[in-house]
Amino acid sequence: MNPADLGELAADIAREAGELAQRRRTEGVSLAATKSTLADIVTEADREVERLIRERLQTERPDDGFLGEETGAQHGTSGLTWVVDPIDGTVNYAYGIGAYAVSVAVVEGEPDPEQWHGVAGAVSAPVLGELFTAARGEGAWLDGIRLTVSDGNPAGALLATGFGYDPTTHDGDLAMVRRIMPIARDLRRMGSAAIDLSYVAAGRLDGFFERGLKPWDFAAGAILVQEAGGAVSRLEIENARPMVVAGGPAVHDRLRALVEGQV
Ligand code: IPD
């Protein structure tokens, strides 16, 4: 399958999974467990949606690997791995806030963001009624419209961030916010990194940064941003979890410099 066909499959699976998540939402959410911290939760729907995605991929792409938020990794033999977050924004989902998404990506190489190359991705936000898709060399799309990142000026950029589940990173997160606010137009914390990155691809946000994201939180979103003409970096900072930075080229470079402490 070429990237375009893989992108169509990712989109089809994300759409179906999003519909299931939303059906379960209207039936009432049951919290299955609190994971690492109070903010790190899983619902029965996260597990059921991941099962659906995994089973579809086992049928349609039996030789590919899989890495999912809820069920972990399974190696494949094809060189491709699907990286899946069944519900990105689980806290929003559990509280009835519509900013959540199913994120489905397929990458080449090891399921390690330092080593993989994104091939295709889809982010379905069922409550928002939006399905973002991208495939390598084919661009990023929303409802038949090709997406382009904003050419936003770093001074006055509309940015988004998130606060990871590891409380030891929060001082660093807040220090970063303090450095960025004086140059930003405003800052959003929407609660779904997949939606944040989709919005960067669509030019609705000028940039995004968050420390401690897991591969499934940003795999599809990163492909969307790159195919929409933007840049994504994962920066290793001494004594801290890596930070994902994304945006149009100018905003990305400014955020990157801020993270690296150069400005
Ligand atoms: C979370 C969301 C949130 C971000 C967290 C993620 P999850 O994903 O993307 O916006 O701030 O760091 O873990 O746990 O709901 O899939």
Side-chain angles (χ1 to χ4, degrees):
M1 260 189 185
N2 59 36
D5 292 336
L6 289 165
E8 274 181 33
L9 179 59
D12 194 46
I13 292 175
R15 184 188 301 107
E16 185 186 350
E19 286 165 3
L20 173 62
Q22 188 47 19
R23 262 199 319 280
R24 292 293 177 261
R25 182 72 198 71
T26 53
E27 290 163 3
V29 171
S30 48
L31 193 64
T34 296
K35 299 194 283 186
S36 57
T37 66
L38 271 181
D40 188 7
I41 58 173
V42 59
T43 68
E44 289 299 347
D46 289 80
R47 292 175 176 166
E48 187 183 353
V49 172
E50 185 157 317
R51 266 199 308 277
L52 169 96
I53 297 172
R54 204 168 175 145
E55 281 165 16
R56 264 204 74 178
L57 287 169
Q58 262 155 12
T59 308
E60 300 196 31
R61 303 284 310 167
D63 298 333
D64 295 351
F66 184 88
L67 175 65
E69 176 172 21
E70 310 305 339
T71 57
Q74 184 187 315
H75 284 281
T77 53
S78 68
L80 295 175
T81 299
W82 293 81
V83 184
V84 168
D85 192 341
I87 299 180
D88 182 70
T90 304
V91 174
N92 282 347
Y93 182 78
Y95 278 73
I97 297 170
Y100 74 85
V102 177
S103 175
V104 178
V106 56
V107 302
E108 215 165 30
E110 288 303 304
D112 168 350
E114 299 312 320
Q115 295 177 43
W116 77 38
H117 299 287
V119 179
V123 172
S124 167
V127 176
L128 311 177
E130 294 189 315
L131 176 65
F132 299 86
T133 60
R136 191 160 66 204
E138 303 287 333
W141 299 83
L142 170 63
D143 296 333
I145 296 169
R146 192 165 184 150
L147 302 178
T148 315
V149 293
S150 77
D151 55 4
N153 184 338
L158 182 61
L159 303 172
T161 192
F163 303 108
Y165 295 142
D166 177 357
T168 65
T169 69
H170 290 165
D171 280 350
D173 295 342
L174 294 174
M176 179 74 185
V177 168
R178 269 197 296 276
R179 290 161 79 191
I180 279 177
M181 280 311 280
I183 61 153
R185 183 178 307 286
D186 208 341
L187 181 64
R188 299 282 176 266
R189 195 287 191 247
M190 293 192 292
S192 163
I195 293 180
D196 293 330
L197 288 162
S198 301
Y199 280 17
V200 171
R204 295 173 182 170
L205 290 170
D206 299 307
F208 167 75
F209 59 96
E210 181 168 351
R211 200 186 303 272
L213 286 175
K214 298 291 186 341
W216 43 79
D217 297 317
F218 65 89
I223 301 166
L224 280 158
V225 172
Q226 285 158 344
E227 283 297 320
V232 183
S233 300
R234 190 161 173 270
L235 305 171
E236 303 281 348
I237 314 153
E238 216 182 326
N239 297 328
R241 293 184 180 228
M243 182 174 280
V244 172
V245 167
V251 172
H252 165 272
D253 291 355
R254 183 68 189 270
L255 284 174
R256 190 182 168 128
L258 276 165
V259 172
E260 289 171 337
Q262 293 167 11
V263 263

